[in-house]
Amino acid sequence: MKQIQLILNAILSKDIFEYILVDRDLNVIDASDGVEKYLGTVPKKGKEVVEYLPELVGYEDEIKKIFVQKYCLYSLEAVMKQGYFINVTVEYSDANTAIILLHNITAITKERHRLLQYNNESTLLYNTLQKVLDNQNALIFIAVDNKISFANKKFLEYFEIEDIVQLKEKDLKLYEWCRIPLKSYDELAQRVYNKEQQIKIKEDTFIIQASDIESVHKLFTLTKVTSLSNEAKLDTLTGIYNKRYFNDILKNHIEEKKHFPLAILDIDDFKKINDTHGHLMGDRVLKEFVLLILGQLDPTDLLARWGGEEFLIIFSEDSLAEASEKLASVRQAINTHEFQKAGYLTASFGLTCMAENDDIYTIVERADKALYEAKIKGKNMIVTK
């Protein structure tokens, strides 16, 4: 893999292509350093690639077909990122890996626009841009003299507009919908050029970006981020709730004076798995571990990844005894399950219950102390405080 990456970096260093490697779940495996120029950051390993390329949201299942149909690919043309025009192509690499190529076409696109400036507006917008813009997942429109003169199909469909003629008649003033109301599309372009600005339209939130096409045309891209809001609650590796969202739920339970049991559980000697088999195998163990836990819980119980190999559970019933029985079932399911390569594993558990004067820190600290006691007493056991 390192040799392949060295070759890729050597080829891609010509500022033409950059790449991101993803697994079958579309989580980032690796990326070339030059990706930062287009994304504003280098994608972190294990993160979902849609966090960096929200243009792919809603098309995940279609993209994953490339793992079944090897010669299938998914592509987006002329996507605007950080002031650059890029083509995005997702291609099959091997049974567990896909490569996302980011092709810099800024120079080509600007030259094309420069040559077309001598044509009339209709030819420029319809013959050249329509096919490219209609192929985007984002809502795209072009403003001239502070009025929208063109928009792609997704934009028209979203605002329930039949055609460009009706669009011009409506004279939408989207710049008035920003957090700080503006007076023109020129002002909006200046504010969001090479930046990201959120805008609320109907019940949806969009990221709006702008770029110039010659001196008079302002091209705006609206990327919907509302669909990412649920994913912000989830741990990207295991698919269960993450620590931040779990904290919010825990605070709500405490504020509402709910009486509930809370458990912290931790895989015993997990570091040995990473050291012996590598972090990818460790990730696979965490996914299997979560499935085993969920198999013993009720749908109304709340499971979250607290960090690393540590997990928390809020039980739906208020009985500490019933919660302890569930944890015993979880412990048994883990003990009898053979993990691939890692073999048989155990886990330790700390269990407590909401007390009258508890806050989020005291209840978690009490459960954590119970977990620590289980560890020092020999692991693979449940301790209740």
Side-chain angles (χ1 to χ4, degrees):
M1 179 64 78
K2 287 186 177 179
Q3 185 177 6
I4 293 173
Q5 290 172 355
L6 288 173
I7 295 171
L8 273 171
N9 286 329
I11 294 173
L12 304 180
S13 64
K14 301 299 183 182
D15 196 32
I16 298 174
F17 288 91
E18 298 296 340
Y19 71 93
I20 305 172
L21 296 177
V22 297
D23 61 20
R24 295 178 72 97
D25 296 322
L26 304 185
N27 295 325
V28 174
I29 298 174
D30 206 346
S32 58
D33 293 338
V35 166
E36 184 176 6
K37 178 169 61 178
Y38 306 129
L39 306 184
T41 183
V42 176
K44 294 182 180 179
K45 295 180 183 179
K47 291 283 188 179
E48 292 188 344
V49 74
V50 294
E51 292 188 29
Y52 306 98
L53 287 169
E55 294 84 0
L56 302 179
V57 171
Y59 293 82
E60 294 91 334
D61 291 339
E62 184 176 344
I63 294 170
K64 289 177 182 179
K65 290 178 183 176
I66 66 173
F67 291 102
V68 180
Q69 305 171 14
K70 295 183 181 180
Y71 301 104
C72 177
L73 59 83
Y74 181 82
S75 62
L76 292 173
E77 296 178 358
V79 177
M80 171 59 71
K81 303 293 285 185
Q82 301 281 41
Y84 294 91
F85 287 96
I86 60 171
N87 286 347
V88 180
T89 307
V90 189
E91 299 180 11
Y92 176 92
S93 179
D94 61 36
N96 297 304
T97 312
I99 183 168
I100 301 177
L101 289 174
L102 309 182
H103 180 198
N104 186 352
I105 59 166
T106 305
I108 298 171
T109 304
K110 287 186 175 180
E111 179 63 13
R112 186 176 297 164
H113 293 159
R114 188 188 69 79
L115 292 173
L116 286 167
Q117 69 179 315
Y118 301 106
N119 296 335
N120 60 48
E121 180 178 334
S122 176
T123 301
L124 171 66
L125 295 178
Y126 290 93
N127 294 348
T128 306
L129 297 177
Q130 184 169 359
K131 182 179 178 181
V132 173
L133 299 185
D134 284 347
N135 193 42
Q136 307 301 301
N137 293 336
L139 278 59
I140 298 175
F141 67 94
I142 294 173
V144 181
D145 295 329
N146 286 313
K147 292 183 180 292
I148 299 178
S149 60
F150 177 83
N152 67 349
K153 288 182 181 178
K154 286 187 171 59
F155 185 97
L156 297 178
E157 290 170 356
Y158 183 83
F159 288 99
E160 300 178 347
I161 297 173
E162 292 183 5
D163 51 32
I164 299 298
V165 174
Q166 189 182 58
L167 173 66
K168 292 180 178 179
E169 290 174 351
K170 280 208 168 189
D171 191 22
L172 294 173
K173 294 180 173 61
L174 299 185
Y175 47 81
E176 295 179 348
W177 298 9
C178 291
R179 291 178 179 175
I180 301 176
L182 304 172
K183 296 179 180 179
S184 69
Y185 284 111
D186 286 342
E187 283 190 11
L188 178 59
Q190 289 176 2
R191 186 170 186 83
V192 302
Y193 186 71
N194 281 338
K195 300 176 184 176
E196 289 188 350
Q197 174 88 24
Q198 285 196 357
I199 183 171
K200 186 89 171 181
I201 303 175
K202 300 180 181 179
E203 298 300 320
D204 299 314
T205 301
F206 293 85
I207 291 174
I208 185 167
Q209 292 178 293
S211 59
D212 291 331
I213 303 177
E214 295 309 315
S215 58
V216 295
H217 298 87
K218 309 292 183 186
L219 184 145
F220 295 88
T221 302
L222 293 163
T223 304
K224 189 175 178 182
V225 294
T226 309
S227 56
L228 296 175
S229 60
N230 286 333
E231 295 178 13
K233 303 175 182 178
L234 304 180
D235 174 59
T236 55
L237 175 65
T238 61
I240 60 176
Y241 291 122
N242 59 28
K243 181 177 181 178
R244 182 175 61 183
Y245 182 67
F246 185 89
N247 279 343
D248 291 340
I249 296 297
L250 188 54
K251 287 177 182 176
N252 289 339
H253 275 51
I254 292 172
E255 288 172 1
E256 294 171 8
K257 304 296 182 182
K258 290 185 177 180
H259 186 75
F260 60 91
L262 173 76
I264 297 182
L265 50 151
D266 182 286
I267 302 176
D268 295 327
D269 303 314
F270 182 74
K271 186 176 183 297
K272 292 181 181 178
I273 299 171
N274 285 333
D275 292 344
T276 305
H277 303 290
H279 288 277
L280 288 178
M281 181 55 64
D283 289 348
R284 183 177 297 177
V285 167
L286 289 172
K287 291 178 181 179
E288 287 185 56
F289 186 77
V290 165
L291 292 176
L292 290 172
I293 299 171
L294 291 173
Q296 306 304 316
L297 299 180
D298 293 329
T300 50
D301 297 325
L302 179 67
L303 174 66
R305 187 181 180 195
W306 191 248
E309 68 278 16
E310 198 168 60
F311 300 84
L312 276 80
I313 304 171
I314 293 178
F315 294 95
S316 53
E317 60 273 307
D318 58 9
S319 168
L320 200 60
E322 290 181 28
S324 183
E325 287 181 11
K326 282 187 180 179
L327 286 185
S329 299
V330 171
R331 190 179 75 90
Q332 179 65 16
I334 294 168
N335 287 352
T336 56
H337 179 77
E338 185 174 6
F339 292 83
Q340 186 177 359
K341 289 191 178 181
Y344 292 96
L345 303 174
T346 62
S348 299
F349 305 80
L351 177 63
T352 190
C353 202
M354 173 68 182
E356 184 176 350
N357 296 320
D358 265 332
D359 57 31
I360 186 172
Y361 304 105
T362 56
I363 187 172
V364 171
E365 182 182 27
R366 193 163 60 252
D368 197 46
K369 285 182 178 178
L371 172 64
Y372 177 73
E373 189 174 326
K375 291 285 188 181
I376 62 175
K377 284 184 175 180
K379 304 174 185 177
N380 190 23
M381 66 177 66
I382 303 166
V383 171
T384 302
K385 281 190 177 297

